[in-house]
Amino acid sequence: MVYRRMAKQIAILLGFFILFIYTMAFPGTTSWFILLFFSLVVVVLWLSTLIVWQRVEADVNRLRLVAVWPLFLPDLKIRVENMETQMSALLRRRFDLAMKLPRGHYDTLTVETAGDDYFGFFRHRVLKRVPVNLDVYPDIVPIHKLSHHPEIRRYLKLSAPEIRQIRDYLPQDPLKHVDWKASFRREKLMVKEFEKEVEPRLHLVFIGFQTPRFEQLLALSYSAKKEWQEQLAVRVDLIGGDSFLTIQPSWDKTALLAQWQQLDLKHGKAIVFVPEALVDELRLSRHEPFMMVTEAGEAR
């Protein structure tokens, strides 16, 4: 490809040299018109590859590039980290690119743009390092299988608080707590006072063992945390890492199981997100009751 472009550029120079010699030898309206037209076309093709980016903005899901002037390229390739997209760049200044970065924290993004002119004589290529502050967490995936599992449903369904007493109505009491039957009997407003609810606690554990579906299992545990923490007090322990943002798969099964053995599972319901390869070992490793969820989203 490089040699082909060099051959085209040499052909342009040779053509320009021949036209120039011909025009000097046989000056006239036609010869000068051909020389000037040929020169203008070459200059326009060259200028079309001189792209200056006025603004480059990025967030977790989108990249936006804005050029100083409208581009005149048939195609523009945009590469962000390890993702590449190709789009038409004919008379466009702004380019919006939907992107999905790998999980992690980003201080800079490497953005490369490349494209050829209409005849492939010249090539545009710009590499920019864009300062950002992006945190890319695991995907949010459906957890219908887990939410509808009988044991999990029983735990997630909070029981109604018990009535402690029926007392006189106070101005700050909500009307929905008024006991109308008792109020009718005593001929004054009476309200139900409930026992203080004890919020159940859910203990989610993720085992960061290396498997081909590591990210899928991590996304499943992250989605469960995001959904269930709206109903329960959720505690999360990541075996093999510190956060959903930075945890990486580990081959050290012995170290992972040692950390698992040290966890306190006595408070709340424990649900462990574990690769299929470690299910049997985890089942035999602890006497406390806990549930296991594998990469397929199956609860055991």
Side-chain angles (χ1 to χ4, degrees), residues 21 34 41 43 45 58 74 93 113 138 150-151 173-174 184 190 193 215 219 227 239 278 286 288-289 297:
I21 296 298
I34 294 175
V41 170
V43 170
L45 292 176
R93 289 185 62 233
T113 57
E151 289 189 35
D173 292 327
F184 179 76
M190 306 295 294
E193 185 177 290
E215 292 294 335
E227 181 167 331
I239 305 299
L278 296 184
R286 303 289 293 257
E288 302 93 337

Side-chain angles (χ1 to χ4, degrees), residues 180-222:
W180 296 106
K181 291 183 179 180
S183 300
F184 179 76
R185 288 196 304 268
R186 302 189 185 186
E187 297 182 351
K188 60 179 179 179
L189 286 179
M190 306 295 294
V191 296
K192 300 173 183 176
E193 185 177 290
F194 297 94
E195 295 284 351
K196 185 178 180 181
E197 278 191 55
V198 177
E199 189 177 18
R201 177 173 163 182
L202 185 63
H203 190 177
L204 303 181
V205 182
F206 176 79
I207 309 293
F209 186 62
Q210 170 67 55
T211 67
R213 300 168 75 182
F214 174 88
E215 292 294 335
Q216 182 175 338
L217 184 62
L218 185 66
L220 193 62
S221 61
Y222 181 71

Side-chain angles (χ1 to χ4, degrees), residues 12-25:
I12 289 175
L13 293 175
L14 183 61
F16 178 82
F17 180 74
I18 293 173
L19 284 175
F20 180 78
I21 296 298
Y22 178 82
T23 303
M24 294 297 102

Side-chain angles (χ1 to χ4, degrees), residues 37-265:
F37 180 77
F38 180 84
S39 302
L40 179 63
V41 170
V42 172
V43 170
V44 169
L45 292 176
W46 176 67
L47 289 176
S48 69
T49 60
L50 297 181
I51 301 174
V52 179
W53 297 112
Q54 182 182 31
R55 191 166 74 250
V56 181
E57 302 171 348
D59 58 29
V60 175
N61 300 311
R62 180 182 61 86
L63 174 74
R64 170 170 290 178
L65 297 98
V66 181
V68 174
W69 51 75
L71 307 189
F72 193 69
L73 297 178
D75 292 300
L76 182 69
K77 293 180 180 178
I78 304 174
R79 179 187 292 271
V80 184
E81 300 299 322
N82 60 343
M83 299 169 297
E84 183 176 297
T85 302
Q86 186 168 332
M87 58 183 66
S88 172
L90 182 61
L91 302 179
R92 293 178 56 186
R93 289 185 62 233
R94 193 179 75 178
F95 301 86
D96 290 319
L97 172 65
M99 63 180 183
K100 179 62 180 121
L101 295 171
R103 179 178 54 84
H105 175 75
Y106 294 85
D107 295 316
T108 60
L109 285 181
T110 302
V111 180
E112 179 184 355
T113 57
D116 296 333
D117 66 74
Y118 268 88
F119 298 105
F121 295 146
F122 305 102
R123 180 171 179 79
H124 155 78
R125 183 177 181 274
V126 171
L127 187 66
K128 294 181 70 68
R129 297 192 181 276
V130 183
V132 295
N133 184 20
L134 299 179
D135 290 332
V136 181
Y137 285 91
D139 294 331
I140 300 295
V141 298
I143 58 169
H144 304 305
K145 289 183 180 179
L146 297 184
S147 297
H148 290 84
H149 190 278
E151 289 189 35
I152 295 179
R153 287 186 65 183
R154 281 195 296 270
Y155 187 73
L156 294 180
K157 186 176 181 181
L158 304 179
S159 58
E162 297 182 357
I163 299 175
R164 177 191 297 175
Q165 63 177 345
I166 297 177
R167 57 169 174 79
D168 292 343
Y169 174 81
L170 298 175
Q172 65 268 24
D173 292 327
L175 288 177
K176 65 180 181 179
H177 290 167
V178 172
D179 188 326
W180 296 106
K181 291 183 179 180
S183 300
F184 179 76
R185 288 196 304 268
R186 302 189 185 186
E187 297 182 351
K188 60 179 179 179
L189 286 179
M190 306 295 294
V191 296
K192 300 173 183 176
E193 185 177 290
F194 297 94
E195 295 284 351
K196 185 178 180 181
E197 278 191 55
V198 177
E199 189 177 18
R201 177 173 163 182
L202 185 63
H203 190 177
L204 303 181
V205 182
F206 176 79
I207 309 293
F209 186 62
Q210 170 67 55
T211 67
R213 300 168 75 182
F214 174 88
E215 292 294 335
Q216 182 175 338
L217 184 62
L218 185 66
L220 193 62
S221 61
Y222 181 71
S223 302
K225 167 188 174 291
K226 297 291 286 185
E227 181 167 331
W228 291 338
Q229 71 181 2
E230 297 179 1
Q231 308 172 56
L232 305 170
V234 177
R235 172 187 168 187
V236 178
D237 280 304
L238 302 178
I239 305 299
D242 298 322
S243 72
F244 283 104
L245 194 66
T246 59
I247 186 172
Q248 296 299 323
S250 171
W251 285 106
D252 194 346
K253 181 168 64 174
T254 303
L256 295 176
L257 292 177
Q259 293 182 52
W260 157 251
Q261 290 283 356
Q262 296 172 6
L263 283 184
D264 182 4
L265 303 181

